[in-house]
Structures are given as C-alpha cells and as structure tokens.
Amino acid sequence: MVIVMAPEVTQGDIDSVVDLVRAAGGEAFVSRGVSRTIIGLVGDVDHFGALNLRSRSGVSDVIRVSVPYKLVSREHHSERSVISVAGVPIGPSTTTLIAGPCSVETPEQTLAAALMARQAGACLLRGGAFKPRSSPYAFQGLGEAGLKILAEVRAEVGLPIVTEVVDPASVDLVCAHADMLQVGTRNMQNFALLQAVGSAGKPVMLKRGMNATIEEWLMAAEYIAQRGNLDIVLCERGIRTFETATRNTLDISAVPIAQRLSHLPVIVDPSHSGGRRDLVLPLTRAAIAVGADGVIIDVHPEPAKALCDGDQALADDDIRELAEVMQSMPAMLGRTLALPPQPQAAAGPLTPASL
Ligand code: PEP
Ligand code: MN
C-alpha cells in the first residue's frame, strides 16, 4: 500500500501516519520527492484498513498495490485450478459444455432437453428448479419437485446436474439433489448465500453480477473460498450497458482478465448474455476462442412454449451446429472436449416417453 501525501503536508502529518502504521504492526518507509512525499507501507493491508488513512491530515491518496482477494488469486495458487463436478473436469486443458433447459417444467421437457444437451456434447445438465425472476408474476420454478425431476433425468441420461440455489434456507435441499450449485447474477452479492454455499461441500458456479466489476466478482468468490470451499467456477454472463440490441453485453475480455487474476476456471453463458437464439453460436465460438474453460447453454425441445427464456434457447435444429463447434473448436485451442462421467452408450436408447 502506498500513501501519497498532499503538497502542503507537514512533518507532523508524516510522523503521525508513520506512528499509526507502526502501532498497527506494519512498517512505513518515507520517500521525499521534489513536490510530493509518499509513504510505502509493508505489512497486513487488512489491518491498515481500520486506520482510515485516507481521512488523516495531510493524506491525499491511498493506493492499494496488492489485490484484496487472497484465496482465489493467482498469488495464492499460481497454477490454474481444475474443478471436478461428479468426475467431470472444468479447467485449462478441457472445454466443458453444460446445457439444458433454463427451467425444469415437466419430466418430458427436461428429459428431451437433456437428450439434446447430450447430443450436443454436454457433460453436465443445467436446469433451474428455483428461478430468481425479475417479476413476481413470472414462473418461479417447480422448487423441490423440479429437483426430483432433474435427479430422475440424471439417472436416465447420466449427466450430473447444475442447478441454482436462491437463498441460504434452501441450500441443504438443493444439495440433496445437485452435483453443482449455481449462484445467479442477482445473488452474486448475497453474502449470506455465498457463505452458505461455501460451507455446503459442493462445487459452486458463481455467475458475475450484471452490474459487478471483475474485482467485485472475485471478492464474491472469496466469500465462498473463505468458508473452505475452493471448488468454484466463475461464469461471465454479460453485464448491463447502454446497448439495447442484446439482453446484456458479453464482456469477453473478462475471461482472460479473470483467468490472469484468479486460478479458478472461467466459463461463459452465451444464452443469458445475448438473450437471443441467433447469437448463441457466435458467442459460443467467441468464448471458446478467447480461452473460456467451458460454456453453459440453454436448450429447449419447444422454445416457443418455454416458461422462461424461450427466446434464447437453442432448438433441435441448432443442436447439430453446436455439436460441430464443440467437436472442432477445443482442439484448435489445444483442449479436449470434457466427457460425461460414464460412457454415453451405458445410458441406453432413450426417448422422452421412457420417463
Ligand atoms: C440462469 O442461468 O438460469 C439464470 C437465471 O442466469 P443469470 O443468473 O445469469 O441471469
Ligand atoms: Mn434463464
């Protein structure tokens, strides 16, 4: 941390900052320039925070040199991490496709979407049972009944489940069925929820808040890590900008930036970022090309009838093209497509009617 003193600073101001820092267990090194004096601090930055240095007499600015997050930073762990979700890797040498319906609606719809996901090359099934909707009048999800449908479809199709948890009170219930917990954009700074999923013992996918900076996103991940859970995957899902042509603006630079700052895997949600079916494949290609460790994509057997986010769901007709992207692009980046935990043949021939 560096303290920049004001041009009119007095020797008394400088001495009092140095004394405060030393009393807090740190060391302070004073450098006098022609017009400015700066004081370099060495020690635990978190202790210096309580000193309110910015408001001290003669202080013009306080500049933090080290990052405020620790456990999730590459300073803590220089190698990029691989997270295992029920045996499925998410990390730097693979590309992981997570696909499924935005919401679980019926057993038939969920199974049909899971079959589409598997055909596209997915190794994890997404699907919301608890839906954090902007409108209280919109479909809120099936809750526990939706989790049970997901568990039945997992048994049929062999894809582990990623599903959202929206409050601390339902963490245990969601954990009883899910292989990975999703924290959505609207809950990225729900600190009680972050702490609860940090203690839950399951991998967590943390979506970036639509209004959050990359640093705020990493601080949210730090809340989870601080509870002892480092099995975290970051998901860039688009941010709010002035642009109205898309639902959100996919911040593609956030992928390499977050990967440089944090050892955690970073995936992209091309569905919720663009909010438009016609953008899902182009944004998927962009995500893989920029080095994302995976993508999470909405698919639906009948998008026009979807109870949530039908406009952005890939339909049956789009699955072949998604499969081609997933088969061809990872290798160009020196990666392999992550595989489901069991051979697909073992799941046997399936139809929606078999549920
Ligand atoms: C979702 O993935 O279903 C979802 C609600 O995403 P987000 O939190 O990114 O809006
Ligand atoms: Mn959705």
Side-chain angles (χ1 to χ4, degrees):
M1 193 176 257
V2 176
I3 318 278
V4 182
M5 304 306 282
E8 64 281 3
V9 69
T10 65
Q11 186 58 44
D13 293 335
I14 296 172
D15 291 344
S16 101
V17 167
V18 170
D19 291 347
L20 274 170
V21 170
R22 290 196 177 140
E27 199 40 83
F29 298 93
V30 179
S31 314
R32 286 169 213 279
V34 179
S35 58
R36 288 287 183 121
T37 296
I38 61 167
I39 307 177
L41 308 194
V42 177
D44 189 341
V45 208
D46 293 332
H47 288 164
F48 301 150
L51 303 179
N52 293 322
L53 291 167
R54 207 178 284 275
S55 61
R56 301 283 167 184
S57 171
V59 172
S60 154
D61 201 4
V62 177
I63 300 164
R64 211 183 158 119
V65 178
S66 59
V67 290
Y69 40 85
K70 297 182 171 59
L71 300 172
V72 305
S73 85
R74 289 191 80 166
E75 286 168 18
H76 176 77
H77 188 287
S78 61
E79 293 296 306
R80 299 205 45 228
S81 294
V82 180
I83 307 302
S84 168
V85 181
V88 171
I90 307 182
S93 54
T94 46
T95 303
T96 303
L97 172 61
I98 306 170
C102 177
S103 303
V104 175
E105 297 166 11
T106 64
E108 294 75 14
Q109 166 259 4
T110 307
L111 177 58
L115 293 172
M116 291 166 69
R118 205 176 70 172
Q119 206 186 333
C123 54
L124 295 170
L125 173 65
R126 64 147 291 147
F130 292 92
K131 296 302 300 177
R133 303 303 300 275
S134 301
S135 164
Y137 306 111
F139 175 59
Q140 303 287 309
L142 298 180
E144 186 173 5
L147 295 174
K148 288 182 178 157
I149 293 172
L150 282 170
E152 283 167 21
V153 171
R154 170 180 51 200
E156 291 283 329
V157 181
L159 299 182
I161 300 164
V162 182
T163 194
E164 181 156 358
V165 56
V166 294
D167 55 41
S170 45
V171 168
D172 287 347
L173 173 63
V174 177
C175 276
H177 300 281
D179 298 289
M180 179 180 227
L181 306 176
Q182 174 174 328
V183 174
T185 190
R186 293 161 187 81
N187 268 320
M188 190 209 81
Q189 285 189 320
N190 179 340
F191 299 116
L193 179 62
L194 297 176
Q195 289 173 332
V197 299
S199 305
K202 293 266 178 181
V204 177
M205 181 176 70
L206 177 65
K207 290 192 143 191
R208 179 179 179 186
M210 62 183 90
N211 301 310
T213 63
I214 294 171
E215 184 169 299
E216 287 164 341
W217 186 23
L218 296 178
M219 289 302 278
E222 188 79 9
Y223 263 88
I224 301 170
Q226 197 239 348
R227 289 290 165 126
N229 185 357
L230 269 165
D231 290 336
I232 307 165
V233 172
L234 301 167
C235 178
E236 160 60 40
R237 49 79 69 205
I239 52 173
R240 279 265 165 96
T241 68
F242 54 82
E243 182 54 68
T244 55
T246 47
R247 185 175 178 183
N248 295 280
T249 299
L250 175 60
D251 182 6
I252 201 78
S253 350
V255 176
I257 292 173
Q259 287 172 337
R260 198 159 302 144
L261 296 173
S262 171
H263 57 90
L264 301 175
V266 184
I267 67 168
V268 166
D269 182 338
S271 308
H272 288 81
S273 31
R276 291 168 36 166
R277 182 171 310 115
D278 63 331
L279 294 182
V280 172
L281 284 162
L283 296 183
T284 298
R285 290 192 191 92
I288 299 174
V290 85
D293 302 304
V295 283
I296 176 165
I297 293 179
D298 286 6
V299 300
H300 196 289
E302 290 180 283
K305 294 190 182 161
L307 297 180
C308 182
D309 289 349
D311 291 347
Q312 67 194 33
L314 292 187
D316 257 329
D317 288 351
D318 308 306
I319 294 302
R320 182 205 292 261
E321 201 177 341
L322 175 60
E324 280 167 12
V325 171
M326 299 315 300
Q327 288 303 326
S328 61
M329 276 198 73
M332 296 177 200
L333 281 294
R335 295 172 180 255
T336 54
L337 181 63
L339 297 172
Q342 60 196 68
Q344 297 195 0
L350 284 166
T351 62
S354 69
L355 253 193

